[in-house]
Each structure stands twice: as C-alpha cells, then as structure tokens.
Amino acid sequence: MPIPAIETLAAQIGQLPGVGKKTALRYAYHILGMEEGDALGIAAAICDARETVRPCAVCGQYTDRETCDICADPRRARDNICVVSAPADVPVMERTRAYRGLYHVLFGSLSPMDGIGPEDLRVAELLARVQTGEVREVILATNSDAKGDVTAAYLARELEPYGVLVTRIARGIPIGGNLEYTDEITLAQALAGRKEM
Amino acid sequence: MPIPAIETLAAQIGQLPGVGKKTALRYAYHILGMEEGDALGIAAAICDARETVRPCAVCGQYTDRETCDICADPRRARDNICVVSAPADVPVMERTRAYRGLYHVLFGSLSPMDGIGPEDLRVAELLARVQTGEVREVILATNSDAKGDVTAAYLARELEPYGVLVTRIARGIPIGGNLEYTDEITLAQALAGRKEM
C-alpha cells in the first residue's frame, strides 16, 4: 500500500533537524503537489550548494571561494578572533553588527561521551592562527550549554601559553526577559556578572 | 557577504509549508553539514518521487502504477466513494481502518475568491464514476472549513440527479476534547448532531 518513492522521500526529508515522521510526510506530499520546476529546484539547489560551498581555508566558515569574504575583507580587525561551534553561528553573530573581527569555526564541541576530542575539532588550526602573533584577543562564543562550556574552558587553557586575551561572551537575562520566568542558573550567572550603572 | 548557493538553497526550502526564513536557513546549514551521500540522497529522492509518482487514473490519489493499489484491490467495496481534497488525505483516512471503499481526490477545494471553480477540480471525473451505476454512496470528506463546506454543498447538489446516497463526515467534539475549550460553532454542530444513547 505505501508507495516506496513517497516513503523514501519522507525518510530522506526526516534527516532535517526537528522534522518528525508526520512533518516529513507532509513535506513529501507538498513536494509532489508542487509545480515540476519548483520541486526540482529544491533538488538542484541541494546539489549546487553541496558542490559550490566549502569551508574557508582560514576560518572554516562556509564560502564559495578559497577564503571567505570576512577573512578577505581588509576592513575587519585582524587581531580579534571569535570562536564559534558551527558555520551557522557566523551569520547569527554578524546580524548583531557588533563585531568587526575575524572568526574561527570549530565544527562541533568537545564531547568525551560521544568520543569527540580536540583532534576532531579545528583546534590545531586555531592555535596556528594565534601563533602568528597577529592576534590580541580570542572571544569564545561557543554555546552556553555543558559542551560549549567544556569547549571554552579547554580552549582557554590551551591558549594561555600564547599570552593573548581570552574572553567568553556574557551570560545573563535575555533582552525582554522576565525575572519570574528565568531559570535559577541563568539568574545566578546574571547576578555574578552584574555591572555598576 | 551572503553566499548565493546557501541563499538559493534556503529560498528553495522555504517553499515547504510552514517553513519560514529562519527555519529554511537552519535546514540549509544542516544539509551543508551532512555527509555528502545523505545530502544528495534528499535531492535524489525528490527527483525520483517526481518521476515515479503520478495520480491514479481512476481516483487521482498518488501511485507509482497506472491504477493505485486501492482501486485495484478486489476486496475494496466498489459501491462507496469517499471524496477528499488532497492526496495526503487518503493515507489519513486509511489509518482509521474504518473505511473499506474507494476514494476520489479532487486536488483542491472550490474557492471563488481565488478563481478556483469546479472545472479546476476533478469533479467531472467523479460524476463520470457515479454515472456507471456501480456507486451506492458518496461520502464527502472535504475539510471542515469554509472552502471544504462549499465544495461539499456543491458536490451534493451535482450528485442529486444520480440518485446516490450522499453523506458528509460528522463534525463534533474530537476524542479527548474538553467542552470548555471547544469553540461554539463546533459545539453547536455537536449538539445538532446528537444521537440517542
């Protein structure tokens, strides 16, 4: 009864993050109901992106050239490196318009439980960049969860011998956040990170 | 700064129902981070499904043959036709295991506002099937919204001359539904449709 081509399509779509079986099947039926060109456009865009996009030779973020636009931009401050876990974090940071330095993408977080050690991340590449002596500050912008914190702590220790300033992005109550609905750990961190007004 | 191949991929993915700009970009980055074979597997499944799957020559639901498995199944009651709006509605009905007849997919609902008239739906095909004289009952299972109701009312009128029993699936409080949280229109319909216990 089930049609293999539809089942396969739904299973393939189910690889996307947060897409369950029902949603995947809904997407599959939608793709079948689309104009031919629009449906094949999705497939073509996947193939094209996989062919065109690669990690920047310097920072690791996605680019369609050898070196990404940020690394190649002479107006970016070359003495600042912001370390993030994933390529997707770079556009998020960029949207703040609050950072004018360079990036370094680790492609993951340390996770001994999953067998992911420093050699699985782009740690050596980061240390090599710092070793050039051009870098003044390394901003650790890994996620604010257990793995991100472990990764940040590890990197801070590894970077110590190089005599660069190592900072971690602040934790606290998000803008618009309500004290009543803030979990106690975040609140404790917000309190510890208080500043004179 | 934005990479055209990633922007295009996100825009293409954004065609899926309920997928906004942010989610589309998240899916795009996820696809870029996947194993090559898994990512291209999605593209291949789209192409394959579009090539393999077509509407059943009789009922219109998706199939990879000339006639779908339900229409070809001799154990299905051939005197019952359940009319639904979309191919995706057929597996939903089938999951109930409460229906053993045939289907007819309209591929849409009447919507004068959007310029969708009976000639844009598979109405003529339905009437042709009823005309064979094999059909005893037509169950209208279009959606329980304005367009679905208009479509059902239109079909009921069109089917009248053929002397078949035309029914509409019941409306009422869903199983597990709470009176307090049921909207008044549904509740009014549930009251009107009450049965002796």
Side-chain angles (χ1 to χ4, degrees), chain B residues 179-191:
Chain B
L179 269 206
E180 195 181 339
Y181 303 122
T182 304
D183 68 284
E184 55 271 51
I185 300 170
T186 301
L187 200 50
Q189 300 250 4
L191 194 62

Side-chain angles (χ1 to χ4, degrees), chain A residues 86-168:
Chain A
D89 297 335
V90 174
V92 175
M93 287 292 296
E94 284 295 290
R95 272 202 291 277
T96 65
R97 296 170 180 274
Y99 180 65
R100 297 297 304 161
L102 305 178
Y103 289 95
H104 192 85
V105 182
L106 295 172
F107 280 90
S109 303
L110 287 181
S111 179
M113 296 265 287
D114 305 310
I116 299 175
E119 64 286 355
D120 300 309
L121 309 179
R122 294 180 72 257
V123 172
E125 288 88 338
L126 174 64
L127 300 181
R129 287 179 74 184
V130 172
Q131 225 156 9
T132 61
E134 235 189 351
V135 182
R136 249 189 347 106
E137 180 175 355
V138 174
I139 301 163
L140 301 174
T142 54
N143 290 331
S144 191
D145 55 12
K147 290 179 190 175
D149 284 343
V150 167
T151 309
Y154 172 83
L155 290 178
R157 213 166 47 235
E158 290 292 306
L159 288 164
E160 225 190 301
Y162 299 96
V164 290
L165 177 63
V166 179
T167 57
R168 180 92 170 97

Side-chain angles (χ1 to χ4, degrees), chain A:
Chain A
M1 251 297 296
I3 298 141
I6 301 182
E7 299 292 308
T8 304
L9 178 54
Q12 288 287 346
I13 293 173
Q15 295 184 86
L16 295 175
V19 175
K21 240 179 146 175
K22 255 188 170 171
T23 306
L25 204 60
R26 201 166 126 245
Y27 289 167
Y29 271 100
H30 186 87
I31 287 170
L32 287 167
M34 286 165 82
E35 293 291 329
E36 183 84 5
D38 291 340
L40 298 183
I42 303 177
I46 292 173
C47 297
D48 183 55
R50 291 292 308 206
E51 211 178 287
T52 317
V53 179
R54 54 184 151 174
C56 166
V58 179
C59 73
Q61 83 140 310
Y62 289 141
T63 177
D64 48 8
R65 311 190 191 176
E66 173 71 16
T67 309
C68 77
D69 286 355
I70 293 176
C71 284
D73 185 347
R75 289 163 306 175
R76 306 288 300 216
R78 313 202 77 78
D79 56 355
N80 268 245
I81 294 182
C82 175
V83 178
V84 294
S85 297
D89 297 335
V90 174
V92 175
M93 287 292 296
E94 284 295 290
R95 272 202 291 277
T96 65
R97 296 170 180 274
Y99 180 65
R100 297 297 304 161
L102 305 178
Y103 289 95
H104 192 85
V105 182
L106 295 172
F107 280 90
S109 303
L110 287 181
S111 179
M113 296 265 287
D114 305 310
I116 299 175
E119 64 286 355
D120 300 309
L121 309 179
R122 294 180 72 257
V123 172
E125 288 88 338
L126 174 64
L127 300 181
R129 287 179 74 184
V130 172
Q131 225 156 9
T132 61
E134 235 189 351
V135 182
R136 249 189 347 106
E137 180 175 355
V138 174
I139 301 163
L140 301 174
T142 54
N143 290 331
S144 191
D145 55 12
K147 290 179 190 175
D149 284 343
V150 167
T151 309
Y154 172 83
L155 290 178
R157 213 166 47 235
E158 290 292 306
L159 288 164
E160 225 190 301
Y162 299 96
V164 290
L165 177 63
V166 179
T167 57
R168 180 92 170 97
I169 53 168
R171 310 222 259 194
I173 301 165
I175 306 303
N178 191 312
L179 268 205
E180 195 180 337
Y181 302 120
T182 305
D183 68 283
E184 54 272 51
I185 300 169
T186 301
L187 200 49
Q189 300 249 4
L191 193 62
R194 70 191 180 278
K195 283 186 185 169
E196 200 178 315
M197 289 187 66

Side-chain angles (χ1 to χ4, degrees), chain B:
Chain B
M1 251 294 300
I3 299 143
I6 301 182
E7 299 292 309
T8 304
L9 178 53
Q12 288 287 346
I13 293 173
Q15 294 183 87
L16 295 175
V19 174
K21 240 181 148 173
K22 254 189 171 169
T23 306
L25 203 61
R26 200 166 126 246
Y27 290 167
Y29 271 100
H30 186 87
I31 287 170
L32 286 168
M34 287 166 83
E35 292 291 328
E36 183 83 6
D38 291 340
L40 297 183
I42 302 176
I46 292 172
C47 297
D48 183 56
R50 291 293 308 204
E51 210 177 287
T52 318
V53 179
R54 54 185 153 174
C56 167
V58 180
C59 73
Q61 83 139 311
Y62 288 141
T63 177
D64 48 7
R65 311 191 192 176
E66 174 69 15
T67 309
C68 77
D69 286 354
I70 293 175
C71 285
D73 185 348
R75 290 163 305 178
R76 305 288 300 216
R78 312 203 77 78
D79 56 355
N80 269 244
I81 293 182
C82 175
V83 178
V84 293
S85 297
D89 296 335
V90 175
V92 174
M93 287 294 295
E94 285 295 288
R95 272 202 290 278
T96 66
R97 296 169 179 279
Y99 180 66
R100 298 296 304 160
L102 305 178
Y103 290 95
H104 192 86
V105 182
L106 295 172
F107 280 89
S109 304
L110 288 181
S111 181
M113 296 265 287
D114 306 310
I116 299 176
E119 65 287 355
D120 300 309
L121 309 179
R122 293 179 73 257
V123 172
E125 289 88 338
L126 174 65
L127 299 180
R129 288 178 75 182
V130 172
Q131 225 155 8
T132 62
E134 235 190 348
V135 182
R136 250 187 348 105
E137 180 177 355
V138 175
I139 302 163
L140 301 173
T142 52
N143 290 331
S144 190
D145 56 12
K147 290 179 190 175
D149 285 343
V150 167
T151 309
Y154 172 83
L155 290 177
R157 213 166 47 235
E158 289 294 305
L159 287 164
E160 224 189 302
Y162 299 96
V164 291
L165 177 64
V166 179
T167 57
R168 179 91 169 99
I169 53 168
R171 309 221 259 193
I173 300 165
I175 307 303
N178 191 312
L179 269 206
E180 195 181 339
Y181 303 122
T182 304
D183 68 284
E184 55 271 51
I185 300 170
T186 301
L187 200 50
Q189 300 250 4
L191 194 62
R194 69 190 179 280
K195 283 185 185 170
E196 200 178 317
M197 289 187 64

